[in-house]
Amino acid sequence: MNTCKTALRVIWAHKFYLLLYLVGMSLIMIVIGSTNMQAAVRANASSSVGRFEPAKAKIVVINRDRGNQVGYELGQGLERHLGKSAQLVTVEDKPQALQDANVSGKSDLTVIIPAGYGQRFLDALEDTAAQAHSGSKATDFPKVETAASYNSSRGSLAQLQVDSYFDALRTALLPDLGQNGPMKLHSSAAIEDAAAYAVSHYASSQPHVGIHASPKDDDHGALLEGFATTVGLAAFPLMTALTVCVAMLFGAFSSPDRHRRMLASPMRLSSLNGQELTAALILAGFSWLYYVALVAFSMAASGVSLVSLGWGRVLLSFFVMLIFAVSAASFGFMLAQFNPSSSLINSVGVIFGLVVMFTSGSSSGGPLPPVMQTIGKLTPGWWYNTAVQSIMDSSAAGPASWGLPLTVVALFALAYACLGLMVSRLTRTRATLVAPVSSDPSMIG
């Protein structure tokens, strides 16, 4: 296991790349995923309607005719009438207080019943009845003072309710005026009965609106989509970090001098290569575990329980991420066989990681253009994101929907490994053939 330990020390010597590409980039991706997840949480919370209540206007009723029994009854009836659909607010009857309430939005409508209004209202009723018998033009009824707030339109709509109240009063009192005469009209009992009629008439004339609320989706579609996006964003940090670190690892053992020393070792070459591969897989497994923990922490911070998403879906998505991590490590192994410089390894790792991220569809809010889809299908990122989305899609038709993309991701890992082995075979054979023969003991060990 000395070779494996040495390989792990090589990885640790390049820990800056792990901190930059794996830790740094993963934190950025998690922040983006958390933003989408929080939006999904809000969408899921508002996806069902428990109770619908229309917005109520805030109305101030100031009755300055309370000293008159008729004015008092008119004001009481108006308050009961408006209380059916509005919120009555108490404000001190002072000009400054009323203006402040109107401007600050404390009240949407201010209604003032001026002093002597009740008597003027009755006089207008008598004139109307008399003119109706003579056929002349009806007298205009006195108006209460109203002031609607400019902050919302609810005050203007509530003003229509005030007018409807007095219209209903006139409708109730005019027949009594024609049958019983003015003396009956001036009794407070008649005004109280007319006000009760206006209130009951308003309640019975309101349309009944039925609210049909769609039940909340049991599969939490918005939450599943947000989780799939968060997992899909792992494509960039995993691909970049594993490509660079694994390529650095195998590059450290692939130079001609080191290779000849390894050939001179009493250990079999297959054992040495197996220990190098073990170190690469340990790195891939560590990166995978780190990102799984990061996703779990992100879900907990967003207030989403992984159990609510379904353990089957969650574990299967993490398994797809593991296969993708292996494919990223295989790409790094293939890259190392070309003996590139460290700067070229970093450049290829970052560029290929960006290509994988932007063509996988995980970083876009909608479908990709056909050209980008074509490019994405040539990388494991597109198939990785497709597999995760299919797993989280409740309408997907069973394992067949995600089984094919997962198989393609595994085939990418196998193809990268085979191509790397082929290049390694060619380059190492050539290096052995052209290497100078020397019996210098310093070349051994």
Side-chain angles (χ1 to χ4, degrees):
M1 295 295 292
N2 289 333
T3 304
C4 181
K5 293 179 181 178
T6 303
L8 293 176
R9 286 198 295 269
V10 171
I11 295 174
W12 183 249
H14 297 88
K15 56 184 175 293
F16 172 76
Y17 298 119
L18 281 175
L19 294 175
L20 177 62
Y21 296 130
L22 181 60
V23 178
M25 295 302 175
S26 64
L27 291 178
I28 295 175
M29 296 297 107
I30 286 295
V31 169
I32 297 174
S34 298
T35 303
N36 294 331
M37 198 66 203
Q38 290 170 5
V41 170
R42 290 191 295 269
N44 183 72
S46 61
S47 62
S48 66
V49 180
R51 182 180 179 184
F52 173 76
E53 290 187 2
K56 291 186 176 182
K58 293 173 288 187
I59 302 177
V60 176
V61 178
I62 303 296
N63 190 355
R64 294 174 180 171
D65 198 28
R66 286 181 176 271
N68 185 355
Q69 185 66 25
V70 175
Y72 175 80
E73 294 296 341
L74 289 176
Q76 289 294 103
L78 178 61
E79 291 181 359
R80 292 196 301 270
H81 177 80
L82 296 177
K84 294 288 186 179
S85 60
Q87 177 185 355
L88 298 180
V89 180
T90 302
V91 177
E92 189 177 3
D93 187 10
K94 291 183 179 180
Q96 184 66 39
L98 295 175
Q99 292 174 11
D100 290 343
N102 187 274
V103 174
S104 64
K106 184 179 180 180
S107 69
D108 296 315
L109 179 68
T110 301
V111 181
I112 299 176
I113 302 177
Y117 177 81
Q119 186 59 46
R120 292 198 302 272
F121 182 81
L122 293 180
D123 294 341
L125 275 175
E126 293 178 359
D127 293 341
T128 300
Q131 291 167 0
H133 290 297
S134 63
S136 58
K137 185 178 179 181
T139 305
D140 292 334
F141 279 83
K143 297 288 187 180
V144 294
E145 300 175 10
T146 58
S149 174
Y150 59 85
N151 291 324
S152 82
S153 60
R154 291 193 292 267
S156 300
L157 295 176
Q159 192 168 359
L160 298 177
Q161 298 177 17
V162 175
D163 296 337
S164 68
Y165 167 74
F166 288 103
D167 289 341
L169 277 179
R170 290 194 295 269
T171 303
L173 289 171
L174 282 174
D176 289 342
L177 180 62
Q179 294 175 6
N180 303 314
M183 294 306 296
K184 176 66 177 175
L185 178 65
H186 283 73
S187 67
S188 60
I191 301 298
E192 185 178 357
D193 292 342
Y197 166 79
V199 174
S200 62
H201 175 72
Y202 171 80
S204 62
S205 63
Q206 293 305 299
H208 296 281
V209 181
I211 305 299
H212 299 281
S214 299
K216 191 177 291 186
D217 189 2
D218 294 335
D219 291 330
H220 307 289
L223 298 181
L224 293 175
E225 184 177 354
F227 177 79
T229 301
T230 304
V231 173
L233 288 171
F236 176 64
L238 288 179
M239 178 59 71
T240 304
L242 290 175
T243 295
V244 173
C245 293
V246 172
M248 290 288 187
L249 165 64
F250 283 97
F253 289 91
S254 62
S255 64
D257 291 341
R258 292 191 182 94
H259 183 60
R260 284 194 295 271
R261 290 186 181 185
M262 293 173 66
L263 289 176
S265 171
M267 294 184 63
R268 290 181 298 176
L269 185 60
S270 59
S271 176
L272 295 174
N273 293 336
Q275 293 187 46
E276 295 177 32
L277 180 61
T278 301
L281 293 178
I282 289 175
L283 176 61
F286 168 78
S287 302
W288 172 73
L289 286 175
Y290 163 77
Y291 210 95
V292 166
L294 205 59
V295 170
F297 175 78
S298 173
M299 294 298 105
S302 300
V304 178
S305 173
L306 295 179
V307 178
S308 64
L309 301 178
W311 276 118
R313 289 192 178 100
V314 172
L315 294 178
L316 194 55
S317 298
F318 288 153
F319 176 72
V320 175
M321 185 193 297
L322 177 61
I323 301 300
F324 178 79
V326 172
S327 70
S330 299
F331 183 80
F333 165 74
M334 180 191 70
L335 179 62
Q337 307 313 310
F338 293 92
N339 294 323
S341 62
S342 59
S343 59
L344 183 59
I345 289 176
N346 280 274
S347 299
V348 173
V350 172
I351 293 173
F352 189 67
L354 290 173
V355 171
V356 167
M357 182 181 70
F358 287 114
T359 59
S360 66
S362 59
S363 61
S364 61
L368 293 173
V371 176
M372 295 188 67
Q373 289 187 21
T374 303
I375 298 174
K377 290 179 181 179
L378 301 177
T379 69
W382 192 88
W383 300 97
Y384 163 68
N385 185 62
T386 301
V388 174
Q389 294 286 348
S390 298
I391 291 170
M392 291 298 161
D393 186 5
S394 58
S395 63
S401 60
W402 53 263
L404 177 60
L406 177 59
T407 303
V408 174
V409 175
L411 289 177
F412 266 104
L414 182 62
Y416 291 147
C418 292
L419 185 58
L421 290 173
M422 182 185 69
V423 175
S424 174
R425 177 76 176 177
L426 294 176
T427 55
R428 290 186 178 185
T429 301
R430 180 176 300 178
T432 303
L433 292 176
V434 301
V437 179
S438 174
S439 59
D440 188 355
S442 63
M443 297 296 296
I444 301 176

